[in-house]
Every structure is written in C-alpha cells, then in structure tokens.
Amino acid sequence: GASPDVVKVAIVSSTGTPALPKVEVDSAMLYGFYIHCHGHPAAVIHQVRELKKYFPRSPIHLMSDGNMDFSALCELEGCTFALCPPANDRWHPWPFLRRMYDAAVILKTEFVIMLEPDNTIHGPIKQKPAHDAGGLIVKQRSFAGTEYIEKLAQTRVPGFKWTRKSMEAGLCGGSYYRTAAILD
C-alpha cells in the first residue's frame, strides 16, 4: 500500500523492483521517454499528450517519486507507470540510477529521453544523437574526484579522460542516453 503522504489520483498498485534482466532492444524503436515526476499533474498530462502527438509509436514510462499516482493516465494513454518511494536522489544517486535502469528495461528502445514536468515538447527530434549521452550544458560546472572516476571508467574504456566539457553536461530533464550505456 501507499504511505499516508501519497496523493492518490487513482488506486495505487504495488511496484516491486525487478531483478536486473537481459534486455532485447527493439531496433525499430529509436526513442523511449522516461518522465521522472513527483507532482504537477497538468504538466505531466500535457507532456504525455504532446509526446503522443509527436512520437505516436514511442513508448512512455512515468515514474512518480513518492507523490502522485498516474496509473489512470497511463492506462488511458497507453504508457507504463511506477509509483516509487520518495528519494532525495540529488544526495544519494542510487535510486535515480536504478529507476533510469528500470525505465530502459521497460522501454526497450535505442535511446531513453529523460523528461521532467517542466520540459516542453515542440516537435519531433530532428537529428539522431551521435553520442551515448547528452544533456543541457551547465557552464563552468566541475566535480571533485576526477582521478577516481577516470580510473573506474578506464576499466571499461582504456584511456578515458573526464574533461571539463563533459562535466558540464547535465543529467536533467531533456537529456538523452543510449540504452546500451544505461544497461552496461
């Protein structure tokens, strides 16, 4: 059941966390949309309907971070939904990364586009992404631990360097990820 502080928009269904399955990506499906939401129902409803208008065959997965239950919307619009416990994933990234992984498994597309309710959809994507991930630029952002991160990454990509430019790319609404990179 839902915690008492969950706003019930519809009957809350249980959402267990599945094991880490192998995923077959449908190569015919280029983009899947993962909406990371908490509230703002009018924005979420509008966003889902705009996605359906511009990407009618693309799958959509909504994840509500411990607040509103959008299962009725997803039943009506043909998307999938998960109501998850609240997580302050800005300080503890595991829930964020796990939910992104779960969305990639559910969507089964070549790319996952992560959206938040404040993102707007203005039309179809005009150019296929050239990289494994991309996001909004946050000028002059940098992180500590560069050597540690580079050492971890070099086990997968020898010679990897975490550049200032790559540190400026944001993991936020509007960013894209190649599913293979998420599942790796």
Side-chain angles (χ1 to χ4, degrees), residues 5-68:
D5 53 359
V6 170
V7 176
K8 293 181 183 177
V9 175
I11 297 172
V12 178
S13 60
S14 62
T15 56
T17 303
L20 301 179
K22 296 287 183 195
V23 175
E24 294 293 324
V25 171
D26 180 351
S27 61
M29 296 303 296
L30 190 57
Y31 303 114
F33 296 90
Y34 166 54
I35 302 174
H36 182 151
C37 56
H38 181 78
H40 308 289
V44 173
I45 292 166
H46 179 72
Q47 190 173 63
V48 167
R49 291 183 176 157
E50 289 296 292
L51 287 170
K52 296 300 242 174
K53 179 167 64 173
Y54 293 112
F55 301 91
R57 295 183 21 125
S58 292
I60 301 168
H61 178 69
L62 272 74
M63 184 284 302
S64 180
D65 188 9
N67 188 24
M68 300 192 86

Side-chain angles (χ1 to χ4, degrees), residues 13 22-23 35 40 60 74 76 82 97 109 121 126 134 136 140 144 147 149 172:
S13 60
K22 296 287 183 195
V23 175
I35 302 174
H40 308 289
I60 301 168
C74 285
L76 180 68
L97 296 172
T109 55
I121 314 303
K126 295 179 177 20
L136 302 175
Q140 300 181 357
E147 297 82 17
I149 296 299
C172 59

Side-chain angles (χ1 to χ4, degrees), residues 96 114 133-139 141 143 165-177:
F96 172 83
M114 188 182 94
L136 302 175
I137 301 298
V138 180
K139 292 283 186 193
R141 178 175 58 186
F143 295 95
K165 185 177 179 180
S166 64
M167 287 184 201
E168 291 178 347
L171 296 173
C172 59
S175 54
Y176 72 86
Y177 308 85

Side-chain angles (χ1 to χ4, degrees), residues 93-139:
W94 188 90
F96 172 83
L97 296 172
R98 178 56 202 233
R99 292 165 184 182
M100 175 83 67
Y101 181 96
D102 291 345
V105 168
I106 290 165
L107 293 168
K108 298 179 181 148
T109 55
E110 187 175 346
F111 290 96
V112 172
I113 312 295
M114 188 182 94
L115 298 171
E116 294 172 330
D118 60 347
N119 299 127
T120 56
I121 314 303
H122 299 276
I125 296 169
K126 295 179 177 20
Q127 184 176 355
K128 182 178 177 182
H131 304 287
D132 287 342
L136 302 175
I137 301 298
V138 180
K139 292 283 186 193

